Amino acid sequence: YPLEGDPEAMSLFMVKTGGSVLGAAAHPKLLEKDKQTVKDIIHSCWPAVTESDPKDANALPFVADAVIANPPAQSLIHICEALGIPLHIMSPRPWYYATSQFPHPM
């Protein structure tokens, strides 16, 4: 399901703020600039787990049994709680969590 917002802009925001509330508070100009992107993402999370894909004309309606989410999709913890389904939050970037196959670049 396509979440709203520009993924490149959100990634840049996360890098600049460290992906934390304190990091965002330290950069108020970035926060103001990206507030609408964050709102768009948050507002698109409910349909992402309760509706069919709007870009697929043949998609069947569904409600998710579980959610695997990227950390910027902040509202999903509340949505999963409301639906009574499990939530697993993980980053898709291997450099955050080194493995033997993908060692940390630093």
Side-chain angles (χ1 to χ4, degrees):
Y1 190 96
L3 292 183
E4 295 296 323
D6 178 0
E8 287 185 35
M10 196 65 210
S11 291
L12 184 60
F13 174 79
M14 297 302 279
V15 168
K16 287 182 178 180
T17 63
S20 72
V21 172
L22 292 176
H27 299 87
K29 289 182 181 175
L30 287 176
L31 189 58
E32 188 60 37
K33 179 180 175 245
D34 291 315
K35 191 182 339 183
Q36 188 59 49
T37 299
V38 173
K39 282 183 181 180
D40 291 343
I41 291 170
I42 288 172
H43 289 289
S44 66
C45 285
W46 180 263
V49 299
T50 61
E51 297 177 9
S52 58
D53 185 344
K55 294 184 177 182
D56 181 355
N58 298 319
L60 299 173
F62 80 104
V63 174
D65 295 320
V67 173
I68 301 172
N70 193 353
Q74 301 162 352
S75 63
L76 284 168
I77 192 166
H78 305 292
I79 291 169
C80 289
E81 181 179 25
L83 293 172
I85 61 175
L87 170 64
H88 181 76
I89 299 174
M90 61 177 285
S91 175
R93 294 168 178 83
W95 57 84
Y96 286 148
Y97 309 104
T99 66
S100 59
Q101 298 256 331
F102 299 98
H104 197 284
M106 298 185 154

